[in-house]
Amino acid sequence: WFGGIFMLKLDNNTGLRDYSYTYSTTTNVSDQYFGIRISGGYGCTGEGAYIVYDPQTDYYYLYVSYCGLEATTNFAGYHIRLFRSRNITGPYTDAAGNTAICTSSGANQENKGIKLFGNYDLSSLNGVSSSELSANGYMSPGHNSAFIDDNGQRYLVYHTRFNTGNEHHQVRVHQQFLNQDGWPVTAVYEYLGSQISPTGYSTSEIVGTYDFVNHGKSATTTYTGMLPTYSVSLNADGTISGAFSGTWSATPNTYFCTMIIGGVTYKGIFFKQYDESASHKNTMTFSLIGNNNQAIWGSKTSDAPG
């Protein structure tokens, strides 16, 4: 958690370290005992690392969880960050080109890795049974794995806490989809059997008012409250209005979308999926990653612009 994430080769026969491979002790690169350093170090946070290879993009994707696991204490803010590399041993970099490796104790981890999601709430979660822990939102989601099934569908598996004032936790599974730049974006809602339309969605299905969450870049290891949920409208003329202004576009005959908000370009997908309300309403959502390492989510609340 403090010293960084390292990789060393194992013996296929024993499952133990392969001692025919040796490593030099080179600052910020490798260690003769631990192996090759691929992320973190110098007291920076980072644990629960997981790497998945995607044959479609020929990238290795590195997931690392930052900050503290708790939801109610001053050691919180747990979340997942994403990097990728052409080689399994790295170097791993994020959407802004930053390396996953910390080279000093003063490294600003806000600027390292795509933050997949933080503490969020959506209106569709409210009003469900009080026994459902997510009724007031999710907190401290992290420590994930990921996989691609035999049909090529991608999934993210992780555990999460909730906005309930305690440390209860459960496992969640979300679908993922590659965006135009080959980054896996994570579906807004847990997997309930929805399948994305490979030919995309009509303008009438997309236009409307949405809950909007920008998951930001915060990497503080302190008590972390809920992210704000805003209201934005995607209008038929390709503009975004409401709490934020900008433009949106959908790539014809695909589920890809692009949004420009505050001068930042975000790329991702539209996905009509079952939400997590009691009725599991089939709801239009969007999930995008910006070149600023920030992920944005939207969940449609009304067919009419706000």
Side-chain angles (χ1 to χ4, degrees):
W1 195 87
F2 289 114
I5 304 298
F6 290 80
M7 175 185 293
L8 44 76
K9 193 174 186 303
L10 303 182
D11 186 308
N12 285 335
N13 295 318
T14 67
L16 303 176
R17 179 173 181 165
D18 185 340
Y19 283 98
S20 68
Y21 280 76
T22 59
Y23 308 91
S24 64
T25 297
T26 304
T27 302
N28 300 326
V29 175
S30 60
D31 180 90
Q32 63 181 346
Y33 180 78
F34 292 114
I36 300 167
R37 196 163 100 192
I38 59 173
S39 75
Y42 290 94
C44 295
T45 68
E47 66 172 10
Y50 196 89
I51 293 173
V52 61
Y53 173 72
D54 195 319
Q56 183 172 333
T57 62
D58 195 30
Y59 274 112
Y60 294 89
Y61 294 92
L62 168 67
Y63 297 85
V64 182
S65 289
Y66 283 8
C67 301
L69 175 59
E70 283 78 7
T72 63
T73 72
N74 288 326
F75 183 70
Y78 210 51
H79 65 274
I80 304 166
R81 298 271 174 154
L82 177 63
F83 303 85
R84 70 184 181 187
S85 174
R86 292 293 185 190
N87 302 298
I88 193 169
T89 54
Y92 286 91
T93 55
D94 60 27
N98 302 313
T99 176
I101 293 174
C102 295
T103 58
S104 73
S105 59
N108 183 359
Q109 288 190 278
E110 283 196 354
N111 298 324
K112 287 188 177 294
I114 298 167
K115 186 174 182 179
L116 295 190
F117 40 89
N119 297 346
Y120 67 93
D121 190 16
L122 299 166
S123 58
S124 61
L125 301 174
N126 308 145
V128 300
S129 170
S130 58
S131 63
E132 177 59 53
L133 293 175
S134 62
N136 296 313
Y138 289 94
M139 299 185 77
S140 298
H143 209 137
N144 73 290
S145 62
F147 70 96
I148 305 171
D149 71 12
D150 292 341
N151 295 320
Q153 176 56 59
R154 297 161 181 84
Y155 297 90
L156 184 79
V157 184
Y158 64 98
H159 62 62
T160 182
R161 300 191 188 279
F162 305 90
N163 186 25
T164 54
N166 54 46
E167 300 295 349
H168 294 160
H169 72 280
Q170 293 178 345
V171 173
R172 288 292 185 272
V173 180
H174 288 230
Q175 293 182 76
Q176 290 187 309
F177 305 93
L178 295 175
N179 73 1
Q180 303 92 312
D181 293 334
W183 286 107
V185 298
T186 305
V188 173
Y189 293 109
E190 66 175 310
Y191 175 62
L192 295 170
S194 301
Q195 295 184 1
I196 200 166
S197 170
T199 56
Y201 303 93
S202 66
T203 299
S204 61
E205 289 179 285
I206 294 169
V207 167
T209 301
Y210 289 73
D211 282 344
F212 177 90
V213 178
N214 184 329
H215 293 284
K217 297 195 301 180
S218 175
T220 180
T221 313
T222 59
Y223 176 76
T224 306
M226 302 297 291
L227 289 166
T229 303
Y230 298 100
S231 179
V232 301
S233 292
L234 303 190
N235 304 305
D237 63 358
T239 61
I240 300 172
S241 58
F244 298 94
S245 60
T247 61
W248 70 272
S249 61
T251 304
N253 302 314
T254 76
Y255 46 70
F256 291 135
C257 66
T258 301
M259 297 183 184
I260 301 175
I261 302 172
V264 177
T265 298
Y266 298 86
K267 297 180 181 181
I269 55 102
F270 286 115
F271 181 25
K272 198 169 189 178
Q273 66 173 142
Y274 298 123
D275 68 17
E276 296 175 37
S277 66
S279 61
H280 297 310
K281 180 182 177 182
N282 207 15
T283 301
M284 182 61 69
T285 68
F286 58 76
S287 179
L288 302 92
I289 287 173
N291 54 15
N292 60 354
N293 285 333
Q294 298 180 33
I296 58 173
W297 281 2
S299 174
K300 196 174 186 181
T301 57
S302 170
D303 291 331

